[in-house]
Amino acid sequence: MNFFCVHCHFHQPPRENPYLGLVPTEPSAMPFENWNERIFRESYLPNMYAHYTRDGKVLKVVNNYQGISFDFTYSLLSWLLKERPWFVERLKRAGQNAIASGFNHTILPLDPEEDREVQIVWGIRAFEKVFGRRPKGFWLPELAVDKRTLSLLVKHGIKYTILAPHQVKTKGNYLRHHLPEGHIDIFVYDGELSHGIAFGELINHMDEVIRRTRDRKGIILIALDGETFGHHKKFGEMGLAYLLESHPNISTLEKVCESLHPEGEADINEYTSWSCAHGVERWRSDCGCSTGGEPGWHQKWRKPLREALEVLRSKVKERLFDVLSQHTLDPKEALFDFVEVLMGGPKEDYFKRHLKGHVSPEEKRKLLRLLYAYKYVSYAFSSDGWFFADISGIEAVKNLLFAKRAIDLLGDRSVEKAFLDILSDTPSNVQVYGNGLGVWQKLVLPHVVSERDMVRSIVILELSDLVPQEGRLGKFYYKVEGFEPWRVFLKDEETEEEFYEAEDLKDFSTDRIPQPLLGWLLKGWVMEYFKEDVEFEESYEHLFENLILYAKGSPFECDDLLKSRVKDYLKLRLYLLLKEVAPLEAVEELLKKAEGLGIDLGDERLKFWLEEYISRKVNLGLSEEEAKRLASLVKEYNRSVGRMELMVNLWELQNWAWENRDRLSGEALRLLDFL
């Protein structure tokens, strides 16, 4: 029997500001608001709508998740559940191909045993919550492995996992590893093919992959980061779709597990991973493996960073288990079950199930503070924090922010002092920071959000008509009452703590408004200014246009200044039309006007705005006639700009057409480039 499988590991670290419950603006992800948004658009969504093309025409749209094996870490899934719930619902349709993973991507062999078991249990429970069944397979974060971790997987019912060729001591693609607790099956991925697709050029030569694998007996597995397809490798999802549609032996690990017996037995090489040549040293020492940075940079910061976090973790666990022992029937089970609360389950149900007897509201809040301190110190060990070049990197800084939140929830300044003593001896490669303490002071503390900051932010957002008087913002419930001063009720929906403050805004400063709230506020203010500016300029519109028309072929001293003024005005009007999802007629009219005046509005920002506009139009619902006009507008615009990097993609409109193909005319499908 021949089986060819592709496994995609999809992961993003937790990106939320733990003081706010929202992902901040990340400038490096522009034009998207943050990296989750950007990678969703470049990889996760394209793999659900991968275009299988021939000669520039779309043959079909392929849901790659239906043909691959895959896992999503919960740190990514939790964001998708909040921001793109419809995507998760569609992903569930391919849930038979999914396997579980660690809850937030810690390096399991480096975790104390009780913490790695929590990561495994929470990861399995998260899988069950999303996909509605027990998982058979489990993806080890970074494929970091030791026998004790495999034993814990067996203990919790896992049947198989995936490893790299250098991690097993026996040749083979599907092997069985025996442990005192039982056995676990190991799928060994093809290193040459996987590496060639992820880091070489094989992704552009899928026919070669098919030629090399179609007649090989047994199972062949390619395993790699799912973000390879579309994010790391642009249009990579199309290569994957071609492979899935063209290979004669496509299968999934779940199907292989059901129909094939392992070909032999194997021992493993402990404390190894798939992304560090030195085992698991990338996450605890200056081993030389890094991504990014400058020549000569070291990673001497890795070991003391882990030491500081371990000191904090031990303190959090000490306090937590002391309180759990006082108030719960089984502290270990209470910690395991807390994942249900993290995934949105009612706290009262959790307390009824686990508390020994009556506990005061204050004692419940204390318990919640410690349980969330454990969550955040666990997040501080997310592997991405050590993967890159310096402790000042965005991933390490976010881990430190999670640590700060855990410290604040613990409420013990002596713990923070011990933590910072170690950070002060943690060297950074960036001179302006000097060490971990400099990173803490300059990059971490500015993201700490106080209750007063939240109160002021809510008041100014409400005054700007950007949020209602009552509602939820991040992890807070709030209610605004009165006027100068405003009275704000604030409830932290994690810890159940409540605050009630008056705010008069007398010493208001935008410096204390956290991202992304500041971005929302500035955008709101700017939009109002833009609208007023456009309304003012409208009275001069015909005058300016006539002057440009009169001057055609007769350059004069202010010619360039006039055209620049009109271009800015038209660009501003177009921006407002697109952001407000104006009727298509208004957009068409403005673009024709610009063309008639000889003014080129095309640039990368307009490409992004137009693609956003198409997406919103699709989500609001289209008729066939609207779709045809939108396609014609885009094609005409693309002809006018002439440069590939500025051309607007019809991709989202084509996805809509594919889903509605049974009710669309042949004319519409041809206009949207379907064969």
Side-chain angles (χ1 to χ4, degrees), residues 44-251:
Y44 308 136
L45 184 60
N47 276 290
M48 191 166 279
Y49 294 95
H51 290 195
Y52 183 39
T53 64
R54 180 188 299 158
D55 300 326
K57 300 290 185 180
V58 182
L59 292 176
K60 66 186 298 187
V61 177
V62 180
N63 183 346
N64 286 342
Y65 300 105
Q66 294 283 4
I68 62 172
S69 296
F70 63 86
D71 71 278
F72 277 76
T73 54
Y74 190 72
S75 50
L76 172 55
L77 272 176
S78 61
W79 180 83
L80 290 168
L81 285 163
K82 289 178 191 173
E83 303 295 333
R84 302 290 189 277
W86 57 268
F87 175 85
V88 179
E89 285 304 310
R90 294 185 182 187
L91 186 67
K92 289 178 184 179
R93 299 174 193 172
Q96 73 278 1
N97 299 341
I99 70 174
S101 184
F103 188 72
N104 67 274
H105 219 267
T106 69
I107 301 301
L108 295 177
L110 297 183
D111 284 335
E113 183 163 331
E114 60 271 21
D115 299 291
R116 77 175 85 174
E117 187 168 16
V118 170
Q119 282 285 316
I120 290 168
V121 170
W122 284 9
I124 290 172
R125 297 276 188 89
F127 180 93
E128 292 171 341
K129 176 81 171 179
V130 174
F131 295 105
R133 65 176 178 86
R134 290 281 300 174
K136 293 178 183 176
F138 192 98
W139 177 273
L140 296 165
E142 299 294 339
L143 299 192
V145 68
D146 67 341
K147 292 185 178 183
R148 190 58 203 145
T149 298
L150 294 181
S151 292
L152 288 171
L153 293 183
V154 172
K155 175 183 175 181
H156 291 284
I158 296 299
K159 304 300 182 187
Y160 68 85
T161 189
I162 299 168
L163 292 178
H166 66 271
Q167 293 182 278
V168 294
K169 295 181 178 180
T170 305
K171 284 189 176 182
N173 299 325
Y174 185 31
L175 304 166
R176 177 158 290 176
H177 179 62
H178 288 277
L179 297 152
E181 296 78 8
H183 67 263
I184 188 167
D185 294 335
I186 298 171
F187 288 98
V188 182
Y189 69 76
D190 187 299
E192 183 181 359
L193 289 174
S194 300
H195 193 276
I197 291 174
F199 304 106
E201 296 301 321
L202 265 183
I203 199 167
N204 301 317
H205 303 283
M206 288 303 193
D207 280 327
E208 174 66 11
V209 175
I210 295 169
R211 185 190 66 78
R212 289 164 60 177
T213 59
R214 66 185 305 150
D215 297 324
R216 282 168 56 177
K217 299 297 182 184
I219 175 173
I220 303 164
L221 170 63
I222 290 172
L224 64 176
D225 286 330
E227 293 81 8
T228 299
F229 300 108
H231 174 57
H232 299 309
K233 303 274 190 174
K234 194 171 184 180
F235 304 121
E237 79 282 356
M238 296 173 68
L240 179 57
Y242 179 83
L243 182 64
L244 296 177
E245 289 294 306
S246 305
H247 201 293
N249 305 321
I250 286 291
S251 189

Side-chain angles (χ1 to χ4, degrees), residues 239-278:
L240 179 57
Y242 179 83
L243 182 64
L244 296 177
E245 289 294 306
S246 305
H247 201 293
N249 305 321
I250 286 291
S251 189
T252 65
L253 298 183
E254 290 287 296
K255 291 177 182 176
V256 174
C257 187
E258 291 172 2
S259 58
L260 196 66
H261 192 274
E263 60 200 70
E265 297 182 3
D267 199 359
I268 65 163
N269 291 310
E270 292 195 272
Y271 302 102
T272 56
S273 68
W274 76 336
S275 54
C276 177
H278 313 92

Side-chain angles (χ1 to χ4, degrees), residues 32 159 198 208 218 500 511 561 583 593 595 601 614 656:
F32 297 91
K159 304 300 182 187
E208 174 66 11
Y500 193 75
D511 291 345
L561 291 174
K593 179 176 288 189
E595 184 181 8
L601 300 179
I614 292 170
W656 170 86

